[in-house]
Amino acid sequence: GYFSNNDGVTHLGTFNNASLHGGDVADWASSTSPTQSNTLGLASGTHVFDAFDAFAFPGYNGDLSQSDILELAALGYKLTPTGVAAA
């Protein structure tokens, strides 16, 4: 499956197929490569993967992607510029 917050216009990422690869169904796909999830807004460069991926890779840094932030907002989390939880 994939995630979109605007009726499929923008593909924000591909979810992990846990029945095929194990891991968590709520994480982004990453069983074959660090870029398999196709999430948006990761820093360019080598050895970077989405921190919400189902699997990690040795020598890679897990970064928060734009897709992660948009997914959290869609789930009802209130994001603030200071990092302080909104009431």
Side-chain angles (χ1 to χ4, degrees), residues 6-64:
N6 58 3
D7 296 322
V9 174
T10 305
H11 177 88
L12 296 177
T14 303
F15 284 110
N16 179 47
N17 184 339
S19 62
L20 202 67
H21 305 295
D24 190 343
V25 295
D27 290 338
W28 300 120
S30 61
S31 64
T32 60
S33 80
T35 59
Q36 182 184 4
S37 60
N38 297 311
T39 52
L40 304 176
L42 283 174
S44 59
T46 59
H47 302 297
V48 174
F49 74 99
D50 195 300
F52 289 13
D53 278 355
F55 305 100
F57 292 85
Y60 281 71
N61 294 321
D63 289 353
L64 197 64

